[in-house]
Amino acid sequence: MTQLLDRLWSDAVQDVLHAGRRMDQRGWVPATAGNLSRRLGDGRIAITRSGGHKGFLTEQDVIEIDPEGRPIDGGQKASAETLLHTQLYASDPTIGAVLHGHSIAATVLSMALEAPVLTLAGYELLKVFEGQSTHDTAIDVPFFANDQDIARLATVVGPLLGKMPAGYVIRGHGVYVWGRDMAMALARLEGLEFLLACELERRKS
């Protein structure tokens, strides 16, 4: 049993390391920005520790937290935004991975647009998001004001949980996306970032 649990943990850690490298290659986690997590089938949560560069993560940079976001090892420090991960896991038992990045498109658009949402419509890539089967649709991506008080920010995000198939954006900060596993979360992140980049380009013309 111990060997099985260790293997499951190792698989989760490798998922996080892979996602970190992928996001770094795309320029979505500059410096020490971003945080990534993966929930195991037994309920354990693997998340990046505070302060590490996501493109150069090692196994020691991924720590275990409980459902409330507390590190199992008291000597470790999780990301300051851990609560936004655990909030998502608590809201939906099918969520298996959460990704947060800081792209140029997300940062610039969310600071430039005053509307509370960005509506994405007519794009073929909208089909990557849950519940969408055609490009002939529209999805609203909520923009939330940045707040260093993460507990307070979570109370603002909370009422829209379950109603954000493409994720959400914190203004001047970055995106949050999730999926049933890391592959799906990455696909949705890449989809959202592509569409945000498209919207940014359209506004340049």
Side-chain angles (χ1 to χ4, degrees), residues 39-122:
R39 177 161 59 180
L40 285 70
D42 59 13
R44 290 180 292 170
I45 299 172
I47 193 168
T48 46
R49 71 166 67 248
S50 178
H53 192 297
K54 306 312 176 292
F56 303 100
L57 294 172
T58 68
E59 293 181 0
Q60 288 67 46
D61 294 316
V62 182
I63 66 174
E64 182 181 350
I65 57 172
D66 66 18
E68 284 70 48
R70 296 182 293 256
I72 299 303
D73 181 341
Q76 297 175 323
K77 183 179 180 182
S79 164
E81 295 163 24
T82 295
L83 178 57
L84 298 179
H85 289 249
T86 56
Q87 177 185 45
L88 283 161
Y89 290 130
S91 73
D92 185 346
T94 69
I95 294 176
V98 178
L99 298 174
H100 169 52
H102 296 221
S103 71
I104 291 174
T107 302
V108 173
L109 280 173
S110 63
M111 295 182 75
L113 303 180
E114 296 183 0
V117 301
L118 172 65
T119 300
L120 302 172

Side-chain angles (χ1 to χ4, degrees), residues 119-140 165 195:
T119 300
L120 302 172
Y123 290 104
E124 179 70 17
L125 208 56
L126 287 171
K127 292 190 290 186
V128 76
F129 303 120
E130 184 176 5
Q132 313 308 312
S133 59
T134 174
H135 72 282
D136 189 19
T137 187
I139 292 178
D140 287 339
L195 296 176

